Amino acid sequence: ETPQPADLIVFGGTGDLSMRKLLPALYHADRDGRLAPETRVIAMSRGGLDDADFRGKVDAEVRGSVPVDDLDTWQRFLGRLHHVTVDIAGQDPTGWARLAGMLGGYEHRDRVFYLASPPMTFGPFCREAHRAGLVTPASRVVLEKPLGRDLSSALRINDEVGAIFEERQIYRIDHYLGKETVQNLLVLRFANAFLEPIWNSLWIDHVQITVAETVGTPGRRGYYDHAGALRDMVQNHLLQLLCLVAMEPPSRNDRESIRDEKVKVLQSLRAVTGGEVDRFTVRGQYTAGESGGVRVPGYLDEPDNTAPTENSRRVETFAAIRAEVKNWRWAGVPFYLRTGKRMPNRCSEIVVQFKDVPHSIFPGSTPNRLVLRLQPSEGIQLNIMAKEPGAGEVALKPVPLSLSFAETFTGRVPEAYERLLLDVLTGNPTLFMRRDEVEAAWRWIDPILDEWDSQGTPPEPYPAGTAGPAAAHELVGRSGRVWHEEG
Ligand code: BG6
């Protein structure tokens, strides 16, 4: 498929996300010949840069992080970049006028507005872009997560954006959906016959979804104090993973069928409210400890240009929840979710723990377990029982059937953002969140946030480099289960 010329306008284009993820992803796409020669990338920020300044900044900050094997390709990429200074409050219309000048005459091209900015800017940006006459029928808008900070703000933002763009033009990004292994989950489930018949409460004891990071939050206090693990990770990434594990088989692999099934899962989540919140959720905040062999400060002492506030004391850097999907397939199967900063290892995985055989004729058998490893080393592992060789009594041993993607498939694995940006450019929203999905996710998260807020107590401390507060172990331990330790 020949790529069509497009104009990609990145609001917040000089920010962290743009420099670390979007521009490298675009460079890779360019290098692979997936951008049309005419395609332009126009960064918008308050920065007061001209095109040359911006190209210089990208040359200095991005070039080192991508493979530049020939300078011509890199120069070609830099040549696509432009910068426009704007003031979102609309006080100074010159930036918008300049952007309108650049886009004028190119109305037939695909036009993508990528909002890599805080959610409260989404509505105002769309209004200003509309006022400047920039929103064409072929325009799309990409919204970064988190979309709002609760259900009511999400509804408002969706209304504001929806007043300017039609739903088919709106791409709400959750970069986890662009990860290769996450997409592979659908293939594993729906392109193989053997799993689906046992993918239910008759055969599955429980599911664990873990996204553990070793990083802390240095320099992110301004954002993180108002987010916390529940808004930053659970509302989006973890719930999306849960949807892919729990959804019914869609009838087609298309934009609406898959999203229809995902939203049904979110709507089937059993509400966790009031007094149950303490029983089914755990929140923690890291204190000083050791991470990767070095002493690291606690959340409150992370270096930052703002001092910790009351919010900092109350924000969670770890969250664990026992969720339940109330439908025929999953009744009674707990879905344990957990995510945290400053965990012992970087590890994202989905663990499906099967029940034991209905009737065991061998002593020492243990139930099967399927581990879907998302990162760092993508793979799938199924623990099966085997007989240890030997002539004496039958001795059993769980052994792994193991698939490593890196060993099986050679070649570069594209980053999530690359895949998703190309999907936006070609107009494929399947891997983006629809309005009803985001709202259903907030509807489930809201009562938990409310209860945590009204308690006013700080999260439980856990030393950096450990797997969260003790209560997280009790959450699964109460029913005789344990968290899967990788390895
Ligand atoms: C982002 C969160 O959405 O995901 C960050 O805002 C988090 O806090 C990041 O570190 C994790 O993404 P990945 O791809 O590194 O697992």
Side-chain angles (χ1 to χ4, degrees):
E1 201 181 315
T2 350
Q4 297 300 310
D7 285 321
L8 177 64
I9 299 118
V10 186
F11 182 61
T14 56
D16 186 58
L17 181 77
S18 184
M19 303 305 277
R20 270 189 326 112
K21 298 284 184 187
L22 305 182
L23 289 162
L26 286 165
Y27 166 73
H28 276 292
D30 192 3
R31 184 167 170 256
D32 288 354
R34 290 172 178 270
L35 299 183
E38 304 87 342
T39 289
R40 296 182 292 182
V41 179
I42 305 170
M44 297 173 80
S45 79
R46 281 179 303 200
L49 312 180
D50 63 18
D51 291 354
D53 297 334
F54 180 54
R55 288 172 191 173
K57 181 176 163 71
V58 174
D59 195 42
E61 293 176 29
V62 178
R63 185 160 146 188
S65 66
V66 292
V68 175
D69 29 35
D70 86 271
L71 271 182
D72 288 349
T73 313
W74 179 249
Q75 289 302 340
R76 178 182 74 201
F77 175 67
L78 288 184
R80 298 176 183 280
L81 307 182
H82 303 270
H83 184 275
V84 177
T85 302
V86 278
D87 167 13
I88 185 65
Q91 317 293 26
D92 170 15
T94 52
W96 290 100
R98 174 150 181 255
L99 184 62
M102 290 176 74
L103 296 176
Y106 295 104
E107 287 73 14
H108 56 283
R109 283 190 183 177
D110 287 325
R111 187 175 285 178
V112 174
F113 297 98
Y114 194 117
L115 309 192
S117 53
M120 66 270 194
T121 63
F122 295 170
F125 179 94
C126 294
R127 266 198 310 277
E128 289 304 316
H130 176 66
R131 204 196 323 250
L134 304 181
V135 179
T136 56
S139 291
R140 289 164 213 139
V141 63
V142 184
L143 309 177
E144 256 300 332
K145 61 137 275 263
L147 201 128
R149 49 175 294 104
D150 51 20
L151 179 61
S152 69
S153 53
L155 288 168
R156 196 185 60 245
I157 294 166
N158 278 331
D159 282 345
E160 288 171 351
V161 176
I164 309 291
F165 291 92
E166 289 173 30
E167 180 64 24
R168 66 170 176 87
Q169 298 175 291
I170 305 173
Y171 287 64
R172 298 175 191 80
I173 210 161
D174 181 319
H175 78 279
Y176 268 57
L177 293 176
K179 289 183 189 269
E180 278 291 328
T181 27
V182 175
Q183 293 168 58
N184 206 19
L185 184 55
L186 290 183
V187 177
L188 180 75
R189 283 194 58 199
F190 303 132
N192 294 291
F194 72 99
L195 276 178
E196 231 16 55
I198 54 168
W199 206 253
N200 57 49
S201 63
L202 285 180
W203 297 98
I204 293 178
D205 177 73
H206 73 279
V207 176
Q208 299 182 4
I209 301 178
T210 297
V211 178
E213 300 181 277
T214 50
V215 293
T217 54
R220 283 183 95 194
R221 180 166 293 136
Y223 163 69
Y224 206 84
D225 270 4
H226 298 277
L230 203 58
R231 290 188 177 93
D232 185 47
M233 301 292 287
V234 180
Q235 190 270 344
N236 31 78
H237 306 327
L238 277 89
L239 284 184
Q240 286 292 321
L241 296 178
L242 182 150
C243 284
L244 297 179
V245 174
M247 70 193 255
E248 294 301 315
S251 58
R252 283 187 300 273
N253 179 19
D254 68 21
R255 55 185 68 183
E256 302 311 340
S257 308
I258 291 184
R259 299 194 290 179
D260 286 346
E261 296 306 335
K262 285 197 298 170
V263 80
K264 283 186 214 160
V265 174
L266 293 167
Q267 288 163 347
S268 314
L269 285 172
R270 180 178 182 282
V272 180
T273 55
E276 282 179 350
V277 170
D278 271 348
R279 229 167 77 229
F280 294 140
T281 74
V282 174
R283 60 200 162 113
Q285 186 184 85
Y286 63 87
T287 54
E290 207 172 288
S291 175
V294 284
R295 284 299 294 173
V296 293
Y299 179 74
L300 295 176
D301 300 313
E302 285 288 12
D304 208 288
N305 36 29
T306 58
T309 62
E310 198 41 43
N311 277 334
S312 323
R313 269 173 269 285
R314 286 165 60 158
V315 80
E316 77 287 355
T317 60
F318 174 97
I321 307 182
R322 181 189 191 279
E324 236 174 274
V325 180
K326 287 187 64 171
N327 62 18
W328 194 300
R329 186 193 284 263
W330 294 115
V333 178
F335 283 74
Y336 295 105
L337 313 178
R338 104 183 131 150
T339 183
K341 305 282 185 203
R342 290 281 188 234
M343 301 274 97
N345 299 297
R346 175 165 189 252
C347 165
S348 301
E349 62 180 21
I350 297 169
V351 177
V352 178
Q353 179 63 61
F354 289 93
K355 292 184 176 169
D356 210 345
V357 291
H359 170 70
S360 178
I361 58 169
F362 303 110
S365 83
T366 53
N368 299 121
R369 187 171 60 212
L370 179 71
V371 180
L372 306 160
R373 206 45 196 281
L374 309 181
Q375 49 198 31
S377 47
E378 294 96 339
I380 299 175
Q381 186 174 311
L382 177 65
N383 278 357
I384 57 167
M385 293 310 295
K387 176 184 176 302
E388 269 199 271
E393 290 242 324
V394 175
L396 303 193
K397 192 175 176 198
V399 287
L401 266 182
S402 203
L403 166 71
S404 149
F405 285 105
E407 285 165 23
T408 310
F409 302 103
T410 48
R412 185 175 70 85
V413 177
E415 273 253 5
Y417 275 100
E418 189 179 336
R419 160 71 200 249
L420 295 174
L421 277 166
L422 289 170
D423 281 356
V424 180
L425 289 171
T426 51
N428 179 3
T430 310
L431 296 178
F432 293 80
M433 294 183 288
R434 215 164 55 187
R435 173 172 188 157
D436 52 355
E437 280 181 74
V438 174
E439 292 173 1
W442 279 122
R443 207 162 273 124
W444 186 71
I445 292 285
D446 257 17
I448 301 175
L449 285 171
D450 286 349
E451 180 63 23
W452 285 358
D453 266 356
S454 71
Q455 290 179 351
T457 45
E460 291 177 53
Y462 63 95
T466 65
H473 298 283
E474 287 151 28
L475 182 76
V476 294
R478 274 205 296 273
S479 47
R481 300 173 171 119
V482 287
W483 289 108
H484 177 238
E485 294 305 332
E486 53 153 342

